[in-house]
Amino acid sequence: MEKSQKILETSVADLLAVTGQLTRRLRAVSNTRELTWSQVAIMARLEEAGPMTTADLARAEAVKPQSMGGTLAAMEEEGLVERRSHPTDGRQILYALTDEGLEARQQVSLAKRDWLLAAVSQLSPAEQETLVEAVDIIRRLGDL
C-alpha cells in the first residue's frame, strides 16, 4: 500500500472517531431531560416535517412500527407529543409535538449550540479559521 493511501485511511479512521466523540459529547451536554436518542430524533423529525403517522416515523427513522409505537407512547405519557386526527383518513392517527415537546427540542438544540460555541471560542484564531473551512468540506462529504 502506498504511503498516501495509508495516511488517508488513518485520517478517515481518526475522523470517524472524533466525530463520534463530538456527537456523544453534544448529546451528553444537551440531554438535561434524560431523553433517549430515539426521542430526540423523533422530536427533530416532527419539528421539521410536522405531524406524522407511526408508520411514517418508523420508516423515516428506520425502525419497526412496533418500536416506534412504544417510543411514541412513552413520549405521549411525558407530554412531548400528542395524537391528532388525520385530515383526510379517519383511520390514521398523526403524532405532533406539544408545546412542551417543542420547548424540550429547542432546549436540546440551544444547549448543543451554546456548548459548541463556548468550546470553539477556546480555540486559537487560526484553529477557528481552519474549523470554519472544514465545515464546508464536511458538509460536502455529507452531501455525497
Side-chain angles (χ1 to χ4, degrees):
M1 178 183 310
E2 73 180 66
K3 186 176 182 180
S4 63
Q5 181 65 25
K6 186 160 179 74
I7 291 170
L8 182 60
E9 288 180 7
T10 300
S11 294
V12 166
D14 289 346
L15 180 61
L16 286 169
V18 300
T19 55
Q21 181 183 10
L22 180 60
T23 299
R24 286 187 298 278
R25 182 65 188 258
L26 288 169
R27 284 182 194 158
V29 300
S30 66
N31 199 357
T32 57
R33 288 184 60 134
E34 297 185 14
L35 300 167
T36 68
W37 170 242
S38 295
Q39 290 173 325
V40 172
I42 290 167
M43 289 190 307
R45 176 97 39 203
L46 290 175
E47 183 179 23
E48 293 166 13
M52 297 175 73
T53 65
T54 303
D56 290 337
L57 280 164
R59 271 191 298 280
E61 296 299 321
V63 299
K64 293 180 179 179
Q66 296 85 348
S67 298
M68 181 59 67
T71 303
L72 287 169
M75 292 175 73
E76 187 175 19
E77 224 174 87
E78 293 178 40
L80 300 172
V81 297
E82 64 186 2
R83 295 175 190 221
R84 293 186 181 167
S85 299
H86 194 284
T88 59
D89 185 348
R91 298 169 297 166
Q92 294 192 51
I93 296 171
L94 296 174
Y95 283 88
L97 283 178
T98 61
D99 289 342
E100 185 177 347
L102 185 58
E103 170 93 14
R105 167 77 177 128
Q106 290 170 344
Q107 286 174 354
V108 166
S109 295
L110 282 174
K112 287 179 184 179
R113 187 190 67 83
D114 290 349
W115 180 86
L116 193 53
L117 186 58
V120 169
S121 70
Q122 294 178 32
L123 301 176
S124 71
E127 289 171 321
Q128 289 178 9
E129 187 175 325
T130 300
L131 183 60
V132 168
E133 292 170 3
V135 168
D136 287 332
I137 296 168
I138 294 168
R139 182 179 294 115
R140 285 199 332 253
L141 283 174
D143 290 339
L144 292 178

